[in-house]
Amino acid sequence: MTAPLLEARNLAKYFPVASGPFAPRQTLNAVDGLDLSLAAGEAVGLAGESGCGKSTVARLLLGLTPPTKGEVLFEGGNLAEMGKRDLASFRRAAQLIFQDPFSSLNPRQRVGDIIGEPLVVHGYASGSELRERVARLMEKVGLAEEHFFRYPHEFSGGQRQRIGIARALAVEPRLLVADEPVSALDLSVQAQIINLLQELKRELNLAFLFIAHDLSVVRHLCDRIAIMYLGRIVETGPRDAVFERFLHPYTEALLSAVPHIHPPTGNKRIILPGDPPSPLSPPPGCPFHTRCPYAEGVCSSTTPLLTERDPGHLAACHFSMKLYRS
């Protein structure tokens, strides 16, 4: 079996939170015991509702935030143990596409300088060669060369996201982490950006970690899906297996909320009771048991492990086989 390009093992990030000068310090469990792997050329979707820890996972995997415990491995090397040279190589190999195309670009820089800056910083090109490489990058993402001297405020949201993608591609990465890159865009523009990312993945054999809360977007782009709830992965597996033979009640609820032009017969929207628990005081046992319609006594006392139920298809639920295989 081929070793994964990127791997997270028992990854956790806890943030101390002070609620007042005399209140006891609390701990926010943003990510709690996460395991995730990504092969070269593979697209993995990380999905879940807002606040479940997806963006924190992105920062941990890219080494932008140190983990509280656990480790991140890139081509077998631990990020926390890398020296300056290896870390610089990792920075070139793994790039981030930001969620907000309006705040992720320097308003005082021209587009050509924004895209070309990584090439200058990492010593890839200068002078006329720099201009040529930037022009090729702009063409690759659907921008005209005449846009070279314009500023970000002169572009639409979709065009700004194309600029961000071109900047990420400048140093020829092997891994792109896209943190909800289309959530701030109109639906028609979302489709254009998703198609562009899909085309780039095929052409450049890029590995993608695509973070989103919209499962219809994830299904279009990704080979494998991981469902996240309250800092933990509760189900992961091949795209079609998760969509057609889901094994966790939270996945079932998320899929019921995906809009359909022609809804399947018997498909009903599942409304979960209450609100997600606070990561400041996660519930004991299964983190989903406070909202789960199938919860029993064991769910509130014993945390289910992420267990392989089918080849490559894992779920963290005590009753996966009973609920969905009866």
Side-chain angles (χ1 to χ4, degrees), residues 200-280:
L200 292 171
K201 175 184 177 294
R202 286 195 300 264
E203 180 183 342
L204 304 175
N205 193 35
L206 289 168
F208 262 101
L209 179 66
F210 192 89
I211 296 172
H213 61 268
D214 187 340
L215 285 176
S216 58
V217 171
V218 172
R219 185 172 196 175
H220 187 75
L221 186 65
C222 298
D223 307 305
R224 192 158 49 90
I225 297 173
I227 304 296
M228 194 170 177
Y229 183 81
L230 205 66
R232 296 171 178 264
I233 289 179
V234 296
E235 182 169 359
T236 181
R239 174 192 59 203
D240 293 338
V242 172
F243 271 84
E244 297 168 11
R245 299 186 301 278
F246 49 80
L247 295 174
H248 196 280
Y250 181 59
T251 308
E252 181 183 25
L254 287 181
L255 291 175
S256 77
V258 175
H260 297 273
I261 297 176
H262 303 291
T265 304
N267 184 55
K268 294 182 179 179
R269 175 75 182 271
I270 298 173
I271 306 297
L272 296 175
D275 297 317
S278 169
L280 288 170

Side-chain angles (χ1 to χ4, degrees), residues 135-202:
R136 289 199 298 270
L137 286 164
M138 293 175 69
E139 181 182 4
K140 188 179 291 291
V141 300
L143 295 170
E145 189 175 357
E146 65 192 46
H147 294 151
F148 190 97
F149 293 105
R150 294 186 183 179
Y151 289 92
H153 74 270
E154 300 178 70
F155 294 87
S156 67
Q159 288 175 315
R160 293 188 197 196
Q161 198 59 287
R162 290 175 187 271
I163 296 167
I165 293 170
R167 177 177 59 184
L169 294 175
V171 290
E172 301 175 351
R174 284 172 289 154
L175 166 67
L176 284 182
V177 176
D179 186 7
E180 303 212 32
V182 298
S183 63
L185 306 177
D186 294 335
L187 284 177
S188 60
V189 181
Q190 285 185 18
Q192 295 171 18
I193 297 299
I194 291 168
N195 290 336
L196 171 62
L197 293 174
Q198 199 168 38
E199 182 181 331
L200 292 171
K201 175 184 177 294
R202 286 195 300 264

Side-chain angles (χ1 to χ4, degrees), residues 113-128:
D113 296 328
I114 291 172
I115 298 173
E117 187 172 23
L119 295 169
V120 175
V121 169
H122 290 283
Y124 275 73
S126 61
S128 60

Side-chain angles (χ1 to χ4, degrees), residues 6 61-63 74 79 82 86-94:
L6 183 74
L61 294 179
L62 291 173
F74 184 76
L79 294 191
M82 286 183 179
D86 289 339
L87 201 55
S89 177
F90 170 73
R91 296 284 183 227
R92 292 191 294 271

Side-chain angles (χ1 to χ4, degrees), residues 51-89:
C52 70
K54 303 187 299 296
S55 294
T56 302
V57 170
R59 295 183 64 83
L60 289 168
L61 294 179
L62 291 173
L64 301 177
T65 298
T68 304
K69 66 177 183 179
E71 56 186 10
V72 178
L73 307 177
F74 184 76
E75 295 186 321
N78 191 333
L79 294 191
E81 300 173 357
M82 286 183 179
K84 288 186 177 180
R85 180 173 297 179
D86 289 339
L87 201 55
S89 177

Side-chain angles (χ1 to χ4, degrees), residues 13 28 32 41 49 69 88 162 186 206 232 282 300 310 324:
K13 183 62 182 180
L28 188 150
D32 193 12
E49 59 196 325
K69 66 177 183 179
R162 290 175 187 271
D186 294 335
L206 289 168
R232 296 171 178 264
S300 61
D310 285 325
Y324 304 112

